Amino acid sequence: MNWRKSSRWLHRRMGYLFFGMAIIYGVSGIALNHHITRHWNPSLVERTETLNVPGQVNREDVSEDYIREILEITGETANYKQYFFPSDNTLLIYLNKGHITVDLESGECKLVKIRNRRVFLEMNFLHYNKPKQLWTYFSDLFGLSLVLLSVTGLYMVKGKHGIKGPGGILLAIGIIVPLIFLIIYLW
C-alpha cells in the first residue's frame, strides 16, 4: 500500500466531509476573536436611539404612570417587562429584546433594541457546542480530522516542492509562531 496515495485519498475525503465544519469554525472563530477585542457581539445586533422625556424626575416620583409615559414616547408599550434603578439618577426599563435607560436629572432617554444576527448566531451556537449530545461527537470527529488533515497534508506532495522544500519552511514557521506567542503571553 502506497502511503502517499493513501494520504491523498484520506485527505480528499475528509476535506469534502468536513468542508462545512471548517467554514463554521473558521468564520465563527474570527467573529468570536473580534467580539472580545472590539466589544462587538457576533450573535446580536444592537441599535441605540436617543430621545428626551419631559421634565426632571426624582427616583421617589417614578410611578407606573411615568413608566407608561416613557413606553408611549418610545413606542415600546407592548414590550415592557419590568424596571429598576441601577443608581439614584438612572432608571432602567427592561423590554423584550432591549431596554430603555433614563437619566432622571437630564431627561435623556436611550432606547436600545436588540435582535439576533443571522448566520453568526447559528455558527456560534455550533461553535460553543450548545446542542451537546450527538453534536459533541461530530465536532470531536472534526477535531480529529483536523489532526489527520494536517498529517496527511504533509505527504501530499513529495520532493523539492513538498516538505523537503518550501513546505518544510512553512511547516517550521507554522510550529514556531504559536510557540513564540506562548512564550510571550503565557510563560
Side-chain angles (χ1 to χ4, degrees), residues 118-132:
R118 292 283 125 218
V119 180
F120 282 107
L121 175 75
E122 289 81 3
M123 285 183 171
N124 291 337
F125 178 77
L126 295 174
H127 193 122
Y128 278 129
N129 192 21
K130 300 260 172 122
K132 305 281 187 228

Side-chain angles (χ1 to χ4, degrees), residues 47 49-57 64-80 91 93 95 99-104 106-113:
R47 184 178 52 90
E49 184 180 340
T50 303
L51 307 162
N52 285 315
V53 293
Q56 282 185 313
V57 178
E64 290 293 328
D65 291 333
Y66 182 73
I67 300 293
R68 262 190 243 101
E69 184 179 347
I70 292 172
L71 292 169
E72 287 175 17
I73 290 169
T74 58
E76 295 296 327
T77 308
N79 294 319
Y80 174 66
L91 168 65
I93 303 171
L95 306 170
H99 63 272
I100 301 169
T101 306
V102 181
D103 185 328
L104 297 175
S106 69
E108 184 178 85
C109 175
K110 289 190 184 203
L111 170 62
V112 177
K113 297 292 289 178

Side-chain angles (χ1 to χ4, degrees), residues 73-166:
I73 290 169
T74 58
E76 295 296 327
T77 308
N79 294 319
Y80 174 66
K81 289 170 87 176
Q82 64 182 7
Y83 71 93
F84 94 106
F85 298 95
S87 70
D88 286 338
N89 297 324
T90 306
L91 168 65
L92 188 61
I93 303 171
Y94 288 106
L95 306 170
N96 289 324
K97 298 188 177 182
H99 63 272
I100 301 169
T101 306
V102 181
D103 185 328
L104 297 175
E105 288 181 347
S106 69
E108 184 178 85
C109 175
K110 289 190 184 203
L111 170 62
V112 177
K113 297 292 289 178
I114 298 169
R115 68 175 172 80
N116 292 336
R117 189 182 304 270
R118 292 283 125 218
V119 180
F120 282 107
L121 175 75
E122 289 81 3
M123 285 183 171
N124 291 337
F125 178 77
L126 295 174
H127 193 122
Y128 278 129
N129 192 21
K130 300 260 172 122
K132 305 281 187 228
Q133 302 165 358
L134 287 176
W135 179 254
T136 301
Y137 299 113
F138 188 69
S139 59
D140 287 348
L141 187 61
F142 172 64
L144 177 63
S145 79
L146 289 177
V147 172
L148 291 173
L149 281 166
S150 298
V151 172
T152 58
L154 294 175
Y155 300 100
M156 297 284 289
V157 179
K158 65 179 174 178
K160 66 179 183 176
H161 298 292
I163 199 166
K164 292 180 182 175

